[in-house]
Amino acid sequence: MMGHWYLRSADWVQHLPAAFYSHLRGKARVAHYLPGERIFVPSQNPEWVYLQEEGHSRIYSLSEQGEEFTLEVVAPGEIFGELAILQGARREHYATALDAGVVLRFAREVFLALMREAPDFALTVTRQVSGRLLRIESRARDLVFRDVPARLAQCLLRLAHDFGEPAPEGGVRIGLRFTQAELATLIGASRPTTNLVLRQMREQGWIRIDRRHLVLMDQAALQGLEMQESAGASSSVEGERRG
């Protein structure tokens, strides 16, 4: 089964009793973000936890050389920025809006009180945290055992699964827009290598670009490439192990 970075337990908000969700929302500050707008930065003493109500956000780290690595994409109904609060530790990552979105911001004290007073809420947060750690472990394995073409194929298939919609001219259109640089940060590769692999996938007829949206035309071919591991892969594209 394909593991996903997105839509983990995102529907839990929809199933909350209306009274409790109203109570939850009443304790938050509602923030509206435009695409590319920053939500948080690394902080020694983080004060806020976030709940994605609408839209999507990207969590990423930044190297000393200024290179980004995307840790995950946050979908509606997902808590993020909670680990540093729960651990009483420094927040190490950045978050920006991928598209226009609405985010609920909970003060540290409010979030911790909800964890103590609302068992269902605490259980959901715990499941999301454990799921996030499992996904990070899975991506670490991919970086070691899969080459760039296999990682990119896997990334595109996951995005199509989670955000795909039928394209009028055929294929599956990924609903979210990603720049080539953002795709590179999702798979832990350099931008030039990612661009090269994308170009060869287009030449093979496996994908196409439709108004900045990626459209998957041959998922079977991408699935075959996804299954190749860097130790024995004989890809038509010569990629780098870690970008």
Side-chain angles (χ1 to χ4, degrees):
M1 179 183 295
M2 186 185 299
H4 302 286
W5 316 320
Y6 327 106
L7 303 184
R8 284 62 76 153
S9 51
D11 290 340
W12 72 277
V13 169
Q14 300 177 20
H15 301 295
L16 287 175
F20 180 75
Y21 186 68
S22 178
H23 170 73
L24 188 69
R25 206 173 191 275
K27 291 181 173 293
R29 293 188 183 181
V30 181
H32 297 260
Y33 293 95
L34 297 175
E37 192 171 357
R38 187 157 287 171
I39 299 170
F40 63 68
V41 298
S43 172
Q44 188 64 42
N45 297 296
E47 294 295 333
W48 301 94
V49 176
Y50 306 83
L51 171 60
Q52 191 83 36
E53 190 171 63
E54 298 176 16
H56 303 83
S57 300
R58 182 170 71 96
I59 312 298
Y60 64 96
S61 60
L62 200 62
S63 73
E64 293 181 357
Q65 293 73 35
E67 298 174 339
E68 295 181 6
F69 179 71
T70 296
L71 297 168
E72 63 178 332
V73 173
V74 181
E78 184 146 30
I79 296 280
F80 61 107
E82 81 292 342
L83 280 175
I85 298 294
L86 291 173
Q87 296 174 341
R90 171 183 168 82
R91 176 170 287 151
E92 301 288 351
H93 308 306
Y94 298 79
T96 59
L98 268 177
D99 48 17
V102 179
V103 174
L104 305 186
R105 294 171 40 180
F106 296 92
R108 174 203 299 264
E109 295 77 11
V110 171
F111 173 73
L112 294 176
L114 284 167
M115 291 289 288
R116 291 191 298 267
E117 298 165 5
D120 288 345
F121 177 82
L123 179 60
T124 296
V125 171
T126 301
R127 286 174 173 168
Q128 290 191 1
V129 170
S130 62
R132 181 173 296 125
L133 294 176
L134 288 173
R135 289 188 301 277
I136 291 173
E137 180 183 335
S138 175
R139 293 187 68 195
R141 286 198 303 269
D142 289 343
L143 288 171
V144 173
F145 295 112
R146 295 180 189 272
D147 60 13
V148 173
R151 297 205 303 267
L152 182 57
Q154 181 184 58
C155 174
L156 295 177
L157 288 166
R158 287 173 170 175
L159 291 171
H161 180 279
D162 289 343
F163 306 117
E165 53 195 29
E169 299 179 3
V172 178
R173 178 177 179 270
I174 296 172
L176 287 178
R177 291 177 176 175
F178 290 92
T179 67
Q180 292 180 345
E182 287 170 341
L183 283 175
T185 72
L186 277 169
I187 63 172
S190 67
R191 181 176 177 177
T193 300
T194 303
N195 292 350
L196 172 63
V197 178
L198 283 170
R199 184 169 66 250
Q200 293 211 359
M201 286 180 173
R202 289 199 302 271
E203 292 171 353
Q204 292 283 349
W206 298 349
I207 65 172
R208 63 183 176 86
I209 308 295
D210 178 20
R211 288 174 292 184
R212 293 182 57 202
H213 287 273
L214 284 163
V215 181
L216 275 56
M217 302 300 296
D218 191 341
Q219 293 192 65
L222 292 171
Q223 287 166 353
L225 185 58
E226 176 198 12
M227 297 306 296
Q228 295 182 9
E229 295 186 347
S230 58
S234 55
S235 169
S236 61
V237 180
E238 189 170 333
E240 47 191 79
R241 176 69 63 89
R242 295 179 182 271

